[in-house]
Amino acid sequence: MKESALRVQDALTTERLELEVREFPASTRTAAEAAQAVGCEVATIAKSIVFRGRESGGPILAVASGAHRIDVEKLAKAAGEAPERADADFVREKTGFAIGGVPPIAHKVPPVTVIDESLMALPEIWAAAGTPNAVFRLTPNDLLRLTGGKLADLKP
Ligand code: 5CA
């Protein structure tokens, strides 16, 4: 397993959750590709989008269904400051992972995390696991527990 995927697996193991990182031969770089590789609906892919807090300069992580966009006004309310678009360097510096494989956990700098509440209605979801070929399956409750994130409506 690639080192970045191992870091995610180690974090899951440390939490004593029996969750397994799975590497796929096909790309899981985007939510659509991940859904195709896994064989699930794109709505079941939990994408992890990193923003830069306008005031703090710190990372804000929004986790939402691959089926819809994130409403940045709603994210601002939940995060307590405006989220600005982060570039690839910011994402790598704050998370330790490259875009396309950013997981919702195991970030270098702990982000303010907001989870879209519509994910909670799904029995299971898939999230990126550190590389553009790795994902792991978890329940929305696992996601809440692992991230300590705040639930909010982030749907446009
Ligand atoms: N592995 C998949 C499925 S979990 C994945 O990571 N999908 S994702 O949607 O969470 O990650 C891709 C996201 O990275 C895009 O939605 C977009 O918000 C962001 N992104 C893509 N290119 C850039 C870029 N050049 N700069 C900043 N963010 C980008």
Side-chain angles (χ1 to χ4, degrees), residues 13-67:
T13 306
T14 301
E15 292 294 328
R16 296 172 181 278
L17 288 171
E18 282 174 29
L19 301 174
E20 276 184 15
V21 170
R22 291 190 49 191
E23 286 184 307
F24 287 84
S27 169
T28 60
R29 184 179 299 277
T30 66
E33 286 176 347
Q36 195 155 31
V38 169
C40 69
E41 298 282 322
V42 73
T44 310
I45 304 296
K47 56 185 180 188
S48 301
I49 310 292
V50 176
F51 296 86
R52 181 183 178 282
R54 185 176 294 164
E55 275 102 58
S56 67
I60 299 171
L61 171 67
V63 188
S65 165

Side-chain angles (χ1 to χ4, degrees), residues 64-136:
S65 165
H68 64 82
R69 297 179 63 87
I70 288 160
D71 185 320
V72 288
E73 299 293 331
K74 290 178 176 174
L75 177 59
K77 268 207 194 99
E81 65 175 321
E84 290 184 328
R85 194 175 162 73
D87 65 19
D89 288 341
F90 181 88
V91 174
R92 188 185 276 280
E93 182 188 313
K94 301 302 180 191
T95 70
F97 302 95
I99 284 167
V102 176
I105 60 165
H107 291 195
K108 196 149 50 164
V109 178
V112 170
T113 302
V114 184
I115 298 168
D116 181 53
E117 61 191 17
S118 67
L119 285 175
M120 301 309 290
L122 301 167
E124 285 183 328
I125 53 182
W126 291 82
T131 78
N133 293 91
V135 288
F136 65 105

